[in-house]
Amino acid sequence: MTADRVSFVTNIHEYDDINLPIKLQPSKSNSIVIGDGTWIGMNATILAGSHIGTNCVVAAHSVVKGNFPDCCVIGGIPARILKRYDFQTQKWVKV
């Protein structure tokens, strides 16, 4: 599920050649994987190559890049794990 104004950015411009404008340089695309049951908050941006596990929460206004396991709360710029679900205690625990 997603809230309003969530962005999925799968395309990244390369900028290796300093003698060529960025818009004329090649770009590459990389997929984004979002696990089942994950909630993505308002204005979050998910960047190319990211993998978010199942049953996660992405906080509003976060910028996500990287791999995140199942059952965690992700937030910030850049996003990091804020909480994880502890299956023994059956509670969300701050990291």
Side-chain angles (χ1 to χ4, degrees):
M1 295 187 301
T2 64
D4 293 335
R5 296 184 294 276
V6 171
S7 298
F8 297 94
V9 181
T10 58
N11 197 29
I12 300 171
H13 284 279
E14 294 185 15
Y15 51 89
D16 294 330
D17 186 347
I18 61 169
N19 298 308
L20 191 62
I22 292 173
K23 70 178 184 175
L24 299 177
Q25 295 191 45
S27 63
K28 56 185 170 185
S29 182
N30 206 343
S31 63
I32 294 170
V33 177
I34 309 290
D36 290 338
T38 291
W39 165 254
I40 302 175
M42 182 181 284
N43 290 321
T45 300
I46 314 299
L47 299 176
S50 294
H51 181 272
I52 301 171
T54 61
N55 299 316
C56 292
V57 176
V58 177
H61 305 280
S62 296
V63 177
V64 179
K65 181 178 182 179
N67 297 312
F68 296 89
D70 296 341
C71 302
C72 64
V73 177
I74 304 160
I77 304 172
R80 61 181 180 84
I81 297 174
L82 304 174
K83 292 183 179 181
R84 293 186 88 165
Y85 189 76
D86 183 331
F87 287 93
Q88 282 189 315
T89 63
Q90 296 185 350
K91 294 182 180 180
W92 290 95
V93 179
K94 289 183 181 180
V95 175

